[in-house]
Amino acid sequence: MKRIVVIGSISMDLVVTSDKRPQAGETVIGESFRTVPGGKGANQAVAASKLGGTVQMVGCVGSDPFGQQVVENFKRHDVDVTHVQIIRDEVTGTAHIVLAEEDNSIVVVQSANKRVVFTDEELEHLLDEQAFVLLQLEIPIETVKQVTSYCKAKGIPVLLNPAPSQPLPPEVIENVTYLTPNEHECRDLFNGISVDDVLKRYPNKLLVTEGVHGVRFHDGRDVRHVPAIRANVVDTTGAGDTFNGALAVSLIEQDDLETAVRFAVVASGMSVEGFGAQGGMPTRQDVQQRLERV
C-alpha cells in the first residue's frame, strides 16, 4: 500500500470557547482555554493515521516546549516523524482559535512552518512511486509549487487542500491530482465563477466541500453531490482536515472517487462531535460503523 506523505504545517492550537464572538473593539468573557496540537498538515496526518493509513509527516517545529509536545503527539498516533525538523532559532507555529456560536475563527502564526523548504535532492530522497502526497497552504507557496511540479514529473499523486485561502499559480492547479477547496476558497481561486461551472472544468479533480451541505464534484458526465451526515456539533475545528486525511486513505485503497468522498464526508461529520482539531477525529472502525447506518 502507498504511504501518505504529509508535507505541511505543525502547530499548537490555543483554543478559547465563548458564548459570543467578539466584534472589532469588543471584549467578551470566555468560558474555557485549552492548548491542543494542530496545524493543517499535522491534523491531516493524524486523521489519516487514525483511519488506518501509513503516514509520514514532513515539516518543521521550534525548539520550544510546544515543539516537543506536538512531536510526542505524532508518536502517540503512529505518525512517522523521521522528517520533522527542529529549528533551533524558531518557535513552533500557533493557531489562535475562538469557538463561538457553533463555528470557529482562527488566526494562524506560521513561525517554524515558514522554514519548510527543500532542495530537489531532498525531495528525491523523500518521495518515490509508493508515496501519496498531501499538501496545504500553511507553508511557503514556493514549496507548494516545487513539490507539485516534482510530483507531476514523477507521476506521484498529490492532494492539495488550498487552505487558508490565497492565490494559486495556474500551474499548481494543473499539476495536482486532487484539489479540495471549500466554497469560499473556490470562489477566491476561480475569481467568483460559479461552483458548477468550475467543477465542469476539472472533472474528477476538483472537490468542493460545503460544510453541512456536503461535497460536490464532477465525474466527467454530471455534477455529483454527497450529502453531509447529521452531527451533534461540539467543535468544527479540524473537520476539513479530517475530510482530507480520510480522502487520502480511501483513494490509496483504490476506491472510486464517489466512494472515497462518501467515506471522507462521514469521517469529517463525525469529527465535529468531539473537542479539538484532533480530539474528535474518528477511527476506521468508527467510520465503518457509521457508514453502515447512512
Side-chain angles (χ1 to χ4, degrees):
M1 182 181 292
K2 286 182 179 288
R3 60 194 170 95
I4 298 170
V5 181
V6 182
I7 302 175
S9 57
I10 305 168
S11 301
M12 185 63 80
D13 290 352
L14 313 179
V15 187
V16 173
T17 60
S18 175
D19 281 337
K20 180 183 178 184
R21 191 180 314 279
Q23 303 300 310
E26 181 183 18
T27 299
V28 301
I29 301 297
E31 296 176 343
S32 67
F33 170 77
R34 290 176 66 180
T35 59
V36 289
K40 295 193 73 63
N43 292 343
Q44 292 176 18
V46 169
S49 183
K50 290 183 74 170
L51 291 166
T54 299
V55 184
Q56 184 174 60
M57 184 71 214
V58 180
C60 296
V61 298
S63 57
D64 56 351
F66 283 166
Q68 297 171 16
Q69 292 168 34
V70 294
V71 169
E72 288 303 314
N73 182 65
F74 283 134
K75 294 177 181 178
R76 285 194 295 271
H77 288 99
D78 297 320
V79 174
D80 186 337
V81 294
T82 304
H83 296 287
V84 174
Q85 184 179 2
I86 298 173
I87 307 297
R88 298 296 173 189
D89 59 345
E90 265 287 10
V91 295
T92 301
T94 52
H96 304 256
I97 301 170
V98 176
L99 300 179
E101 300 160 355
E102 294 192 347
D103 212 337
N104 61 59
S105 301
I106 306 174
V107 176
V108 171
V109 182
Q110 286 183 298
S111 300
N113 292 310
K114 293 184 291 187
R115 306 284 283 273
V116 182
V117 295
F118 309 101
T119 65
D120 287 342
E121 291 76 16
E122 287 170 333
L123 279 182
E124 188 172 355
H125 178 67
L126 281 172
L127 304 175
D128 56 30
E129 66 276 4
Q130 294 304 312
F132 183 106
V133 175
L134 195 46
L135 283 168
Q136 325 76 34
L137 299 181
E138 289 180 343
I139 58 175
I141 191 65
E142 289 302 318
T143 299
V144 173
K145 288 170 60 178
Q146 179 194 20
V147 171
T148 53
S149 177
Y150 178 89
C151 290
K152 179 72 171 180
K154 298 292 184 179
I156 299 169
V158 178
L159 192 165
L160 172 61
N161 175 218
S165 184
Q166 60 181 281
L168 275 182
E171 63 267 26
V172 170
I173 296 173
E174 296 303 323
N175 286 339
V176 301
T177 316
Y178 304 100
L179 186 69
T180 57
N182 64 27
E183 65 269 39
H184 308 294
E185 293 153 359
C186 188
R187 283 195 293 270
D188 291 345
L189 278 176
F190 299 105
N191 299 314
I193 299 171
S194 74
V195 171
D196 282 348
D197 287 341
V198 178
L199 288 171
K200 292 174 186 176
R201 292 187 189 180
Y202 299 101
N204 298 307
K205 170 185 279 198
L206 180 65
L207 302 97
V208 180
T209 61
E210 299 178 322
V212 296
H213 301 296
V215 176
R216 285 194 288 163
F217 68 98
H218 198 288
D219 67 2
R221 297 181 60 184
D222 300 296
V223 173
R224 310 290 295 178
H225 173 241
V226 177
I229 64 170
R230 291 186 178 181
N232 298 315
V233 177
V234 173
D235 181 359
T236 59
T237 311
D241 296 329
T242 304
F243 174 85
N244 284 278
L247 186 65
V249 169
S250 191
L251 288 170
I252 64 174
E253 294 175 356
Q254 299 184 331
D255 287 335
D256 66 83
L257 188 55
E258 185 162 357
T259 299
V261 171
R262 195 169 302 280
F263 178 82
V265 163
V266 171
S268 177
M270 294 179 71
S271 75
V272 306
E273 297 179 331
F275 181 84
Q278 297 174 14
M281 289 175 174
T283 65
R284 181 63 171 260
Q285 184 178 9
D286 295 333
V287 177
Q288 294 292 2
Q289 289 175 352
R290 182 71 71 94
L291 275 167
E292 292 171 3
R293 303 200 303 268
V294 172

